[in-house]
């Protein structure tokens, strides 16, 4: 799709502090050699704040004018610079851009030196929060970072070229709006729709050109619609041809045929009603902030769809990488994207920038079939009809095919958008999951819950089992509530991944622990609630339990209720290899969910009958008392249970010391041989997954990598290695907090510190390529000096301009 792009991501020089002298073409001082994407500083995992990025820095790139550029237009594009960029070429200001989350381009033709001579490109990067532009002006609940953190490239064009093509689809028909750089008398436009794999032409259009704007339309009968299950994509190839038949320019757009509708009754894709099930995603990562290449952007989309089973993601609170959205297009993950900002609305100049952000967002992302709605309000801001009339107007003018939404946290807000998008934090663990729509808005428009949970119950991977279980149940409760309400189109929880934040927020260490995964994308228990709602072909077989069944984790050794999360039909429970009960998913209290979490109400089974002190006559009463004691302790028995226990004691059928013995053996496990628990997930009569819980085994580090074959195209490649402390059964040891050290050699290098501490038994690290093909190795050493090695292969494709 980007054949005309010449990437210039390599061999930049970075200067930590900007100096006006750097603008001059005669400035020859060298800086630190870096590659793009780049963050202005590498951070620790936690315990830093926004002051780390509050500075003006500079980047310099030297490149030669190519002979082939003669009589051409040279367009320079930055996909994103955080947060204000001033671009100088050979000492002359080319232009500036005041948004850290959208792309910008300049025609630099007139500023270039003659063929064969060197050009000096300097970018002044202002990352300070004092800037009068979104999202700044007041506190912001996320770290905003700094740097040139997305791709930079040149495009070589004829003087007459295609500036933009917007394709609008409905079922198997499409319309396009083509913008040309100038009118070429006698020229024509040729368009064709191609199969991506085969290149077969499915339909073709020829039309004359009468101005700088050209409109076309056609029906393409032999196409498949883009859907969540089968996200079919095609190329639309548009050529500008002069009167002599010469192709002046060619633009290739990847798109999908699909039809969306969002009204009072819900959201529809291709006429099929879909309950949106999603999470919010920040684009940040440990150590490098926003600065991650295409492969890691792809990986995040794959995690959301294939590991969390989502069908939708909200890109909070700003437009995100084109690579991320590209992958959403490819795998069938719907996207709600929005303009930058957080709660605060600034002065008229600030608002003008936000309106321009809206324009850029729509223009740059509107050919993505995965995007189904534009967010045109500042997240959780107050009503401002004059301001939001402008953002709605520009979005609708540039794209009539998608609804607008505006995320708010106030009821009965002024609704200028097409969908009432609302952050509903009503759930406190004991009440309803979400409010009824009628209590939030009386509008007869679409309704979508865009945030819930999050700050209401921040949970770390290393919190106690009770807290991790409650987070799991809170997410299940909200999902169940959303699923039960036909007038709610769906929801997106807060949030997918933990993230670094500013000093006003978080847990005192600069991290908001609001995710269902940690910052390394390792799952908390709550992640499984989403996973089991997904298609089995995407997420695989799922079986998780809420406890390791260790009595010392609980007050007075009274364990909390045990919960199972699975997408199987039932789970069989065994104690010391003896069958005790089955849990049927159809009996889940979360009855509106496809697969609801289930409590294990029987961990005793018929085992009491093997005890000399228990008869068939008393076994049911004793079992009931023991199961009640498991939940409430012996002091929390009901009145009737206490009476039964008293009568058995008086009659001599069960003495106190015998009851103490049974309690210790079957409930607290206190002073008896530790138990082994086995759980078998059964689907269609077959065991599809087994989980075995034992006690006292040693932990070791399990290292898993999403890829070991790395390829440099536009820039360096990165892969993530996930670290988990597990026992001999592969079960996570969530209280293992030991340190692991990592060393890299060969064609790869380590991102971040050499020593990584496990948190909740999990951690991770990133491996980055170094610009040379060959072999690479990562050596992981655990706390017992056990060494694990991972081998990588690196291939470098020379796509960057020297």
């Amino acid at each position: 799709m980007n054949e005309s792009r010449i990437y210039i991501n390599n061999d930049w020089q970075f200067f930590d502090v900007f100096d006006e002298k750097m603008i001059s073409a005669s400035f020859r001082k060298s800086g630190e050699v870096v590659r793009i994407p780049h963050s202005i500083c590498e951070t620790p995992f936690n315990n830093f704040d926004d002051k780390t990025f509050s500075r003006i820095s500079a980047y310099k790139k030297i490149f030669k004018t190519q002979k082939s550029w003669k009589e051409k237009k040279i367009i320079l594009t930055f996909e994103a610079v955080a947060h204000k960029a001033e671009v100088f070429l050979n000492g002359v200001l080319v232009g500036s851009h005041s948004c850290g989350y959208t792309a910008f381009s300049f025609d630099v033709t007139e500023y270039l030196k003659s063929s064969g001579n060197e050009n000096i490109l300097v970018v002044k990067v202002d990352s300070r929060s004092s800037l009068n532009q979104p999202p700044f002006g007041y506190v912001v609940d996320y770290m905003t970072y700094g740097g040139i953190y997305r791709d930079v490239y040149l495009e070589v064009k004829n003087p007459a070229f295609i500036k933009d093509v917007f394709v609008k689809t409905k079922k198997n028909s499409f319309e396009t709006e083509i913008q040309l750089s100038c009118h070429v008398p006698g020229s024509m436009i040729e368009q064709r729709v191609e199969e991506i794999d085969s290149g077969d032409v499915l339909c073709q259009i020829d039309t004359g050109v009468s101005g700088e704007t050209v409109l076309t339309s056609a029906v393409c009968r032999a196409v498949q619609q883009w859907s969540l299950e089968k996200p079919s994509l095609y190329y639309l190839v548009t050529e500008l041809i002069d009167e002599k038949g010469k192709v002046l320019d060619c633009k290739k757009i990847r798109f999908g045929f699909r039809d969306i509708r969002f009204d009072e009754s819900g959201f529809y894709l291709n006429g099929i009603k879909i309950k949106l099930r999603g999470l919010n995603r920040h684009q940040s990562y440990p150590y490098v902030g926003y600065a991650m290449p295409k492969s890691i952007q792809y990986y995040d989309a794959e995690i959301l769809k294939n590991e969390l089973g989502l069908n939708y993601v909200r890109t909070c609170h700003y437009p995100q990488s084109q690579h991320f959205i590209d992958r959403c297009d490819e795998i069938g993950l719907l996207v709600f994207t929005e303009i930058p900002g957080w709660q605060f609305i600034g002065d008229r100049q600030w608002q003008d920038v936000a309106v321009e952000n809206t324009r850029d967002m729509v223009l740059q992302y509107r050919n993505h079939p995965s995007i189904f709605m534009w967010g045109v309000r500042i997240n959780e801001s107050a009503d401002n009809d004059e301001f939001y009339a402008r953002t709605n107007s520009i979005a609708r003018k540039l794209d009539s095919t998608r609804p607008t939404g505006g995320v708010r946290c106030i009821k009965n807000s002024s609704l200028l958008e097409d969908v009432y998008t609302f952050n509903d934090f009503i759930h406190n663990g004991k009440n309803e999951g979400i409010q009824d729509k009628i209590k939030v808005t009386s509008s007869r428009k679409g309704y979508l819950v865009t945030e819930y949970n999050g700050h209401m119950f921040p949970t770390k991977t290393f919190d106690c089992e009770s807290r991790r279980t409650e987070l799991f149940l809170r997410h299940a409760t909200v999902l169940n509530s959303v699923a039960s309400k036909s007038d709610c189109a769906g929801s997106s929880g807060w949030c997918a991944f933990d993230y670094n934040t500013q000093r006003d927020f978080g847990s005192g260490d600069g991290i908001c622990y609001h995710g269902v995964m940690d910052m390394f994308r390792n799952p908390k228990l709550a992640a499984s609630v989403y996973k089991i709602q997904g298609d089995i072909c995407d997420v695989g077989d799922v079986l998780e339990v809420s406890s390791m069944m260790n009595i010392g984790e609980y007050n007075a050794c009274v364990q909390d209720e045990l919960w199972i999360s699975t997408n199987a039909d039932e789970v069989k429970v065994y104690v010391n290899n003896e069958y005790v009960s089955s849990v049927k998913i159809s009996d889940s209290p979360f009855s509106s969910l496809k697969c609801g979490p289930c409590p294990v109400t029987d961990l005793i089974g018929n085992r009491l009958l093997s005890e000399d002190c228990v008869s068939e006559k008393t076994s049911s009463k004793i079992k009931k008392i023991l199961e009640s004691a498991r939940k409430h302790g012996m002091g929390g028995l009901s009145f009737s249970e206490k009476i039964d226990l008293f009568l058995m004691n008086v009659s001599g059928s069960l003495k106190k010391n015998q009851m103490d013995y049974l309690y210790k053996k079957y409930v607290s496990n206190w002073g008896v041989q530790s138990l082994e628990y086995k759980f078998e997930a059964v689907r269609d009569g077959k065991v599809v997954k087994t989980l075995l819980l034992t006690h006292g085994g040693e932990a070791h580090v399990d290292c898993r990598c999403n890829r070991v074959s790395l390829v440099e195209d536009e820039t360096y490649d990165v892969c993530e290695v996930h670290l988990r402390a597990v026992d001999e059964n592969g079960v996570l040891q969530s209280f293992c907090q030991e340190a692991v050290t990592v060393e890299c050699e060969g064609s790869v290098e380590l991102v971040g510190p050499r020593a990584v501490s496990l948190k909740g038994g999990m951690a991770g690290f990133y491996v980055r390529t170094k610009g040379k093909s060959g072999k690479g190795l990562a050596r992981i050493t655990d706390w017992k000096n056990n060494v694990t090695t991972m081998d990588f292969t690196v291939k470098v494709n020379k796509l960057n301009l020297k």
Side-chain angles (χ1 to χ4, degrees):
M1 293 192 297
N2 304 316
E3 295 90 343
S4 65
R5 291 183 182 178
I6 303 172
Y7 287 92
I8 52 172
N9 289 324
N10 292 340
D11 301 316
W12 285 78
Q13 297 176 43
F14 173 68
F15 301 87
D16 190 57
V17 178
F18 173 77
D19 188 312
E20 290 292 335
K21 296 177 183 178
M22 296 174 182
I23 296 172
S24 171
S26 62
F27 181 78
R28 292 293 175 177
K29 183 179 178 181
S30 297
E32 176 191 359
V33 178
V34 300
R35 305 175 77 188
I36 308 299
H38 181 259
S39 176
I40 63 172
C41 63
E42 191 172 284
T43 70
F45 183 81
N46 55 359
N47 292 298
F48 66 95
D49 62 25
D50 58 304
K51 294 178 182 178
T52 306
F53 298 94
S54 186
R55 72 184 80 168
I56 302 176
S57 54
Y59 292 81
K60 182 173 75 172
K61 170 73 178 176
I62 300 174
F63 64 95
K64 289 184 178 180
T65 302
Q66 304 297 301
K67 185 178 181 180
S68 59
W69 296 356
K70 187 177 181 180
E71 299 182 353
K72 301 288 186 180
K73 286 280 188 181
I74 309 301
I75 311 300
L76 170 65
T77 296
F78 294 81
E79 285 289 338
V81 178
H83 284 271
K84 181 179 179 180
E86 295 179 60
V87 179
F88 301 85
L89 186 58
N90 297 320
V92 181
L93 176 65
V94 174
S96 64
H97 185 69
S98 295
C99 178
Y101 302 99
T102 53
F104 56 98
S105 300
F106 301 120
D107 182 346
V108 297
T109 310
E110 64 180 285
Y111 307 101
L112 291 169
K113 296 288 184 70
S114 58
S115 176
N117 290 309
E118 286 187 342
N119 301 281
I120 300 177
L121 174 64
V122 175
V123 185
K124 177 183 177 182
V125 178
D126 191 340
S127 306
R128 296 174 299 173
S129 60
S130 58
L131 291 168
N132 189 28
Q133 66 184 62
F136 305 116
Y138 196 54
V139 295
V140 179
D141 179 21
Y142 51 93
M143 195 61 67
T144 51
Y145 302 100
I148 304 178
Y149 71 92
R150 293 183 191 157
D151 292 333
V152 186
Y153 54 86
L154 298 167
E155 291 180 284
V156 182
K157 299 287 188 180
N158 286 310
F161 63 92
I162 302 169
K163 293 175 64 176
D164 185 51
V165 177
F166 175 36
V167 55
K168 297 182 280 188
T169 69
K170 192 167 186 178
K171 294 184 179 179
N172 61 348
S173 65
F174 69 94
E175 301 175 358
T176 71
E177 179 181 316
I178 305 165
Q179 295 293 330
L180 305 178
S181 63
C182 60
H183 174 48
V184 182
S187 63
M188 65 180 299
I189 290 288
E190 286 191 3
Q191 282 184 311
R192 59 186 180 272
V193 175
E194 294 180 351
E195 288 271 11
I196 288 181
D197 293 332
S198 66
D200 291 346
V201 177
L202 303 180
C203 63
Q204 190 163 328
I205 306 170
D206 299 328
T207 186
V209 175
S210 58
E212 294 181 10
T213 302
V214 182
L215 304 178
T216 67
S217 62
V219 175
C220 220
R221 301 194 183 280
V223 295
Q224 292 183 323
Q225 290 188 305
W226 186 92
S227 66
L228 302 183
E229 299 76 22
K230 192 170 184 179
S232 301
L233 296 170
Y234 299 89
Y235 283 140
L236 175 66
V237 181
T238 303
E239 293 179 335
L240 173 62
I241 302 173
D242 68 12
E243 57 186 352
K244 296 180 180 179
K246 180 183 178 181
V247 177
L248 300 177
D249 194 18
C250 177
K251 197 171 188 68
K252 183 182 285 188
I253 300 294
R254 194 177 67 174
F255 75 107
F257 289 89
R258 59 106 174 96
D259 183 26
I260 58 173
R261 176 165 60 94
F262 208 145
D263 59 26
E264 184 181 14
S265 63
F267 173 75
Y268 296 81
L269 178 63
N270 304 324
I272 300 172
K273 187 174 183 179
I274 292 173
K275 183 71 79 168
L276 297 168
R277 184 183 66 258
L279 290 165
N280 289 265
R281 181 233 186 197
H282 271 305
Q283 65 176 11
S284 56
Y285 300 86
Y287 315 129
V288 296
Y290 292 161
M292 278 293 188
K294 176 173 68 177
S295 55
I296 292 295
Q297 303 294 334
Y298 274 28
Y299 187 41
D300 259 13
E302 291 160 3
I303 288 171
L304 296 171
K305 175 73 182 267
N306 301 329
E307 291 190 32
L308 291 172
L310 307 182
N311 60 21
Y312 141 64
V313 59
R314 174 181 170 221
T315 62
C316 56
H317 301 289
Y318 39 77
Q320 298 184 4
S321 166
Q322 291 281 354
H323 295 312
F324 175 75
I325 310 298
D326 280 342
R327 193 60 178 148
C328 292
D329 291 342
E330 293 169 358
I331 64 179
L333 182 64
L334 290 162
V335 179
F336 171 25
T337 195
E338 62 188 357
I339 57 176
W342 199 79
Q343 297 188 344
F344 173 79
I345 299 175
D347 59 17
R348 182 71 183 195
Q349 177 186 337
W350 191 101
Q351 293 175 36
D352 288 345
V353 175
V355 172
E356 191 63 27
N357 292 345
T358 307
R359 176 191 300 276
D360 288 343
M361 174 183 70
V362 176
L363 285 174
Q364 292 170 23
Y365 292 85
R366 61 185 179 173
N367 283 320
H368 288 284
S370 60
I371 293 178
F372 69 93
M373 185 161 60
W374 303 118
V376 297
R377 279 177 67 116
I378 302 300
N379 175 70
E380 293 187 340
S381 60
D383 288 341
N384 187 323
D385 283 3
E386 180 185 2
F387 173 37
Y388 289 134
R390 296 171 67 198
T391 59
N392 274 280
S393 175
I394 193 68
R396 289 168 177 148
K397 178 182 178 181
L398 296 173
D399 181 12
S400 61
T401 70
R402 293 176 177 89
T404 60
V407 174
R408 66 206 83 207
C409 57
I410 46 178
K411 297 180 181 180
N412 298 307
S413 168
S414 177
L415 182 58
L416 304 181
E417 296 77 39
D418 302 306
V419 180
Y420 200 103
T421 46
F422 180 65
N423 293 346
D424 189 343
F425 292 104
I426 191 69
H427 184 55
N428 61 18
K430 299 178 181 178
N431 59 346
E432 71 268 35
I434 63 167
Q435 302 167 78
D436 290 333
K437 176 187 175 184
I438 193 63
K439 294 181 180 179
V440 178
T441 175
S442 58
S443 73
R444 299 182 65 83
K445 292 184 177 181
Y447 182 68
L448 177 68
V449 172
T450 39
E451 293 182 29
Y452 56 86
N453 284 336
H455 72 279
M456 298 296 291
F457 203 75
T459 303
K460 307 171 184 66
T461 56
F462 48 93
D463 276 335
C464 64
E465 284 184 353
S466 295
R467 190 169 186 88
R468 285 181 274 138
T469 299
E470 181 165 347
L471 179 70
F472 161 80
L473 294 174
R474 285 184 179 222
H475 278 275
T477 299
V478 175
L479 283 175
N480 189 65
S481 182
V482 170
S484 70
K485 299 181 188 297
S486 61
D487 58 355
C488 179
S491 61
S492 48
W494 191 266
C495 56
F497 316 124
D498 293 344
Y499 57 96
N500 290 122
T501 190
Q502 302 193 20
R503 58 184 178 271
D504 307 276
F505 304 93
S507 293
D509 64 348
I511 296 178
C512 271
Y513 294 96
H514 297 174
V516 301
M517 287 183 157
D518 69 13
M519 289 205 298
F520 285 114
R521 283 54 174 168
N522 295 308
K524 303 173 188 177
L525 177 65
S528 70
V529 178
Y530 294 87
K531 191 169 186 175
I532 61 178
Q533 312 311 318
D535 293 334
I536 293 175
C537 60
D538 291 329
V539 302
D541 299 310
V542 182
L543 173 60
E544 295 195 34
V545 296
S546 62
S547 175
M548 287 287 292
M549 305 302 289
N550 292 306
I551 59 173
E553 169 65 358
Y554 297 90
N555 297 337
C557 300
V558 178
Q559 291 180 307
D560 287 351
E561 191 167 38
L562 178 65
W563 286 84
I564 285 178
S565 184
T566 186
N567 54 5
D569 301 329
E570 67 173 321
V571 174
K572 294 182 178 180
V573 183
Y574 300 81
V575 178
N576 288 341
N577 218 30
E578 182 179 346
Y579 171 80
V580 294
S581 64
S582 287
V583 178
K584 295 188 180 298
I585 305 309
S586 58
D587 294 334
S588 169
F590 302 97
S591 57
S592 295
L593 293 180
K594 171 187 171 184
C595 295
C598 291
V600 179
T601 57
D602 186 359
L603 283 168
I604 297 175
N606 295 320
R607 292 186 294 149
L608 286 173
L609 294 176
S610 64
E611 302 291 346
D612 293 336
C613 60
V614 179
S615 66
E616 289 191 15
K617 183 178 179 180
T618 60
S619 64
S620 60
K621 289 182 180 180
I622 295 173
K623 180 178 179 180
K624 180 182 178 183
I625 291 169
L626 291 173
E627 291 291 2
S628 179
R630 186 187 305 278
K631 296 180 182 179
H632 312 294
M634 291 299 290
L637 297 179
S638 68
F639 179 74
S640 62
E641 290 165 345
K642 290 179 180 178
I643 291 296
D644 286 340
L645 186 57
F646 173 75
L647 292 176
M648 285 188 287
N649 190 19
V650 170
S651 67
S653 58
L654 185 68
K655 296 178 181 179
K656 185 180 183 304
N657 66 324
Q658 293 173 326
M659 187 61 195
D660 290 343
Y661 160 76
L662 295 177
Y663 176 81
K664 290 177 180 179
K665 181 175 180 179
Y666 291 96
V667 177
S668 74
N669 298 336
W670 187 269
V672 298
Q673 185 178 4
S674 61
L675 302 179
E676 179 181 283
Y677 295 86
K678 183 170 71 172
F679 303 87
E680 292 181 340
V682 179
R683 183 185 303 111
D684 298 328
K686 297 180 180 179
V687 176
V688 293
K689 194 160 188 176
T690 301
L691 179 63
L692 187 62
L693 302 182
T694 57
H695 302 287
E698 292 189 0
H700 66 276
V701 176
D702 178 53
C703 309
R704 298 188 183 183
C705 185
N706 66 312
R707 293 176 307 119
V708 294
S709 296
L710 308 183
V711 179
E712 287 198 11
D713 286 323
E714 301 90 349
T715 185
Y716 58 83
D717 197 1
V718 172
C719 67
E720 178 169 10
V721 179
H722 296 271
L723 304 174
R724 291 166 53 90
V726 297
D727 66 9
E728 65 272 21
N729 302 310
V731 176
L732 176 69
Q733 303 300 290
S734 57
F735 295 119
C736 181
Q737 318 283 37
E738 300 292 342
V740 173
T741 59
V742 184
E743 297 173 295
C744 288
E745 60 185 53
S747 296
V748 297
E749 62 186 0
L750 177 67
V751 177
R754 179 173 173 268
V756 181
S757 64
L758 300 178
K759 298 171 177 64
M762 299 179 289
F765 64 89
Y766 298 98
V767 171
R768 180 170 56 204
T769 60
K770 297 162 59 176
K772 59 181 182 180
S773 297
K775 301 289 185 180
L777 180 142
R779 184 181 296 104
I780 304 104
T781 306
D782 71 9
W783 55 94
K784 291 180 286 189
N785 288 323
N786 295 319
V787 178
T788 302
T789 58
M790 304 189 76
D791 296 312
F792 300 91
T793 60
V794 177
K795 180 181 179 183
V796 176
N797 296 322
K798 304 293 184 181
L799 295 182
N800 273 264
L801 179 70
K802 285 290 187 181

